[in-house]
Amino acid sequence: MKHRIAILSLLVPLMMALAGCNSSTPTQDMSNEEILNILDIKIQKHPKDDQLYYDRAKIYLELNRVNDAIADLTRATSINSKEFKYHMLLGDAYFANGDVEHSYKSLQQALELNPDNQEAYLKLGEIAYYSRDYDRAMDNLGKVTARDPQNLTALFMKAFIYKETGDTSNAIILLRKVCDMHPDYSPAFEELGMIYAAHHDPLAVEYLNTAVRVDPKNTNALYGLAMYYQDLNKPEQAEEIYKQILDINSNHKEAWHNRGYIQLFTYGDYPLAIEHLTRAIQCDSTFIEAWTNRGCAYELMGDKKHAREDFMSALQIDHTFQPAIDGLNRIR
């Protein structure tokens, strides 16, 4: 299970400063569409007011109208190329649009205006990380930690880079450092737990439990702990944790699937396995493993008709999925 981190904040809070205009001023109780209408009128009256384009671009980003935001921010920077925040938000907008090259360019222009801005270096590091340009990511993140050795985002991302490049030792060292400096940051304990769990190291339990103590709703950590017990053939402990996960998120498809898997292959309770696997499929109709394992449950019950239907459903998702192919071959 790959843990995804959400670090890059593309949308900043709207702080409207529309001085010098005579139209109505947006208020917090207005909808985005109402604010857009006001800004449209103001821009028609003041087409060279760069701040208005910036304000409208922020609304466009909230509405996921990224191309419109880029157009407004491009206009704002053409009117006033010396405003740092315009280039920063334009970099965010380009990145949201998947345009890494122009995102880099905008952030570099921001740094030309403010060479010491740590946020710009951090965003450059984030973009490089998500682009898997790890050398460039490390370079930019290093500039952040050189000035701010306790910067949580930079340290955590550097640890991820070590992990993804196979340098587990340095990943562990850095994650432990993050845990010491930020003991209330659950994801750091979670990642340490996941690393140890991958090696069946009992330290996984300590770190994953700590992650849950810090954040009782951390289903990633709970899932890692359940998988640790399941991999060690301790189904009872795993089952209890999967129930905890479902108490927090009743649509956690992997928890339903794994409960079904345990009932199917450990306890041989085929009807209960089918019940759990059906719930997994209801959560995600493209969950190919759930379709296939439910087919296995029907097969073991002697219900070839429903087994065939499930194996065929799996193959409609991926016609090369070998377990489903093997299942069909078994019941022919």
Side-chain angles (χ1 to χ4, degrees), residues 64-250:
N64 202 31
R65 293 171 57 178
V66 181
N67 287 328
D68 290 328
I70 290 172
D72 270 3
L73 289 165
T74 301
R75 177 64 174 156
T77 56
S78 69
I79 296 170
N80 178 8
S81 63
K82 301 298 184 183
E83 183 57 63
F84 171 82
K85 65 182 179 182
Y86 298 170
H87 296 286
M88 288 289 288
L89 193 62
L90 185 55
D92 288 346
Y94 276 128
F95 187 68
N97 218 29
D99 189 341
V100 172
E101 181 180 350
H102 283 95
S103 180
Y104 261 107
K105 182 178 178 181
S106 295
L107 292 170
Q108 290 288 2
Q109 288 173 331
L111 278 170
E112 288 177 9
L113 296 170
N114 187 353
D116 294 325
N117 187 272
Q118 299 303 293
E119 182 186 359
Y121 283 116
L122 188 59
K123 289 188 176 185
L124 284 170
E126 290 165 357
I127 293 170
Y129 168 80
Y130 288 118
S131 303
R132 296 185 177 276
D133 187 348
Y134 295 135
D135 288 340
R136 178 180 274 182
M138 280 295 203
D139 179 60
N140 283 292
L141 294 171
K143 291 175 182 175
V144 176
T145 54
R147 283 180 166 265
D148 180 8
Q150 295 193 17
N151 187 286
L152 174 58
T153 301
L155 291 172
F156 195 50
M157 200 177 312
K158 287 171 77 172
F160 260 88
I161 293 171
Y162 283 131
K163 178 182 174 183
E164 292 190 9
T165 55
D167 190 348
T168 304
S169 296
N170 273 319
I172 289 173
I173 291 170
L174 204 49
L175 285 168
R176 284 177 173 170
K177 182 177 181 180
V178 173
C179 290
D180 289 341
M181 292 190 298
H182 303 277
D184 58 345
Y185 188 60
S186 179
F189 292 98
E190 173 194 328
E191 285 304 317
L192 269 174
M194 295 296 189
I195 290 174
Y196 285 119
H199 295 88
H200 296 161
D201 189 317
L203 279 173
V205 175
E206 176 185 341
Y207 283 111
L208 291 170
N209 276 328
T210 301
V212 175
R213 281 198 299 272
V214 173
D215 178 9
K217 294 186 181 298
N218 186 337
T219 55
N220 285 330
L222 284 167
Y223 185 76
L225 190 58
M227 283 296 297
Y228 172 80
Y229 285 126
Q230 189 171 340
D231 288 343
L232 291 181
N233 197 27
K234 296 182 178 181
E236 292 183 3
Q237 291 96 320
E239 172 75 5
E240 286 304 312
I241 298 171
Y242 289 133
K243 289 178 182 178
Q244 285 182 252
I245 293 171
L246 292 167
D247 285 340
I248 298 169
N249 176 12
S250 62

Side-chain angles (χ1 to χ4, degrees), residues 14-33:
L14 184 61
M15 299 296 291
M16 306 294 286
L18 304 177
C21 300
N22 296 321
S23 301
S24 299
T25 299
T27 59
Q28 290 184 346
D29 58 347
M30 288 183 177
S31 69
N32 282 329
E33 294 299 335

